[in-house]
Amino acid sequence: MFDLIDIGANLTHDSFDADRDAVLARAAAAGVARIIVTGTSVTSSVQAAELCDAHPKRLSATAGVHPHHAAELDAHTSAALRSLLAAPQFVAAGECGLDFFRDYSPRDAQRRAFAAQLELAAEVGKPVFLHQRDAHEEFVAMLAPKRAALVGGVAHCFTGGPKELDAYLELDLYIGVTRWVCDERRGADLRAAVPRIPLERLLVETDAPYLLPRDLAPKPQSRRNEPQFLSHVLERVAALREQPVDVVARATTANAERLFGLRAG
């Protein structure tokens, strides 16, 4: 049985409202011992704290404002995030970054929110949980000058290829891999990059309820992703790296403990 850490699951999502405890039970049965609940807004970060309080040995959380919600970040929400990040159950600032694929928030608002959360992460001394889509060059340009002040960070849901990977490794980031590695349509660049990720920088995540692995069989009728499927991602990653699954499992757990300051399981 593995002792895995899912470093990114959106457990506050309303799709889990009816059976959240059962979702956690299935995850534990599948070897996912701990989960980091992603905060994408002040509201979801507060909800994540409540989940952590209910499951203190299994759940930790991030607190942040996703680029989709960047227009919501003001002095009030920044103060709320600062207060949340002072609590021990919060192990990273974010999800923060740039998303020029959806542009749900204006790009100037995304830039301001990203810069503000990088400053906040440096202030509170916690790593950053990073999001980037279709904004690689600007993302790196904003992050690079701030990196020395940060204690660490992870490129959450990394979907790029070797070129993007090299840029993130140059910034001493951890790399979070999701079911994109299982996607035969869009995952070719990522599959080429996975063997190049240093083992000590590799993390795995589900981003549940999103990103159900395409090659999962049988697929759940709901089409909802869950932390229990993290082992499926792990197996695909290990196969691409031509390494034993248990070696990759132990490494990703140790890496998550190190980055997020978690106690060894």
Side-chain angles (χ1 to χ4, degrees):
M1 177 64 70
F2 298 128
D3 179 23
L4 300 177
I5 300 176
D6 185 347
I7 68 141
N10 299 278
L11 290 180
T12 64
H13 193 275
D14 58 11
S15 67
F16 293 121
D17 286 351
D19 64 344
R20 194 170 281 108
D21 286 345
V23 168
L24 291 173
R26 286 192 289 271
V32 182
R34 287 168 286 175
I35 301 168
I36 297 176
V37 184
T38 308
T40 57
S41 66
V42 170
T43 297
S44 70
S45 298
V46 169
Q47 292 170 340
E50 294 169 353
L51 288 177
C52 291
D53 289 343
H55 305 276
K57 294 182 179 180
R58 295 199 56 203
L59 303 182
S60 302
T62 74
V65 174
H66 190 287
H68 290 349
H69 304 292
E72 301 172 9
L73 189 67
D74 55 19
H76 174 74
T77 53
S78 291
L81 290 179
R82 182 175 292 104
S83 178
L84 289 169
L85 286 166
Q89 60 263 53
F90 287 100
V91 297
E95 182 175 354
C96 61
L98 301 174
D99 192 313
F100 293 171
F101 178 73
R102 298 289 186 188
D103 280 327
Y104 286 152
S105 283
R107 293 186 179 184
D108 281 347
Q110 292 190 44
R111 296 180 183 106
R112 288 193 296 270
F114 186 28
Q117 290 177 90
L118 291 176
E119 294 287 346
L120 181 57
E123 176 187 331
V124 301
K126 291 186 177 179
V128 279
F129 193 79
L130 297 162
H131 174 104
Q132 183 279 125
R133 192 169 185 189
D134 283 10
H136 171 74
E137 292 185 4
E138 188 161 349
F139 174 84
V140 170
M142 289 187 65
L143 179 59
K146 304 293 185 181
R147 178 62 186 90
L150 299 168
V151 300
V154 55
H156 154 63
C157 193
F158 177 72
T159 60
K163 181 179 178 181
E164 291 86 357
L165 173 65
D166 289 346
Y168 293 165
L169 293 176
E170 184 71 21
L171 290 170
D172 203 24
L173 297 179
Y174 288 78
I175 309 298
V177 179
T178 64
R179 84 92 156 105
W180 276 80
V181 78
C182 310
D183 191 331
E184 80 286 354
R185 307 165 305 164
R186 298 182 293 177
D189 287 346
L190 176 59
R191 287 193 293 274
V194 162
R196 296 167 56 112
I197 301 172
L199 187 59
E200 67 273 13
R201 288 281 147 181
L202 177 64
L203 298 169
V204 287
E205 52 181 324
T206 59
D207 205 24
Y210 313 113
L211 303 183
L212 180 72
R214 276 181 55 82
D215 58 355
L216 192 66
K219 285 187 171 62
Q221 291 185 347
S222 68
R223 311 291 290 182
R224 182 188 68 180
N225 197 10
E226 292 187 18
Q228 67 165 319
F229 301 131
L230 185 64
S231 59
H232 184 83
V233 174
L234 175 76
E235 289 166 0
R236 295 296 178 270
V237 169
L240 286 167
R241 296 175 62 84
E242 298 182 343
Q243 290 179 303
V245 175
D246 62 327
V247 169
V248 178
R250 285 195 298 270
T252 60
T253 296
N255 294 343
E257 290 170 345
R258 183 169 58 250
L259 175 62
F260 297 112
L262 305 175
R263 290 184 179 182

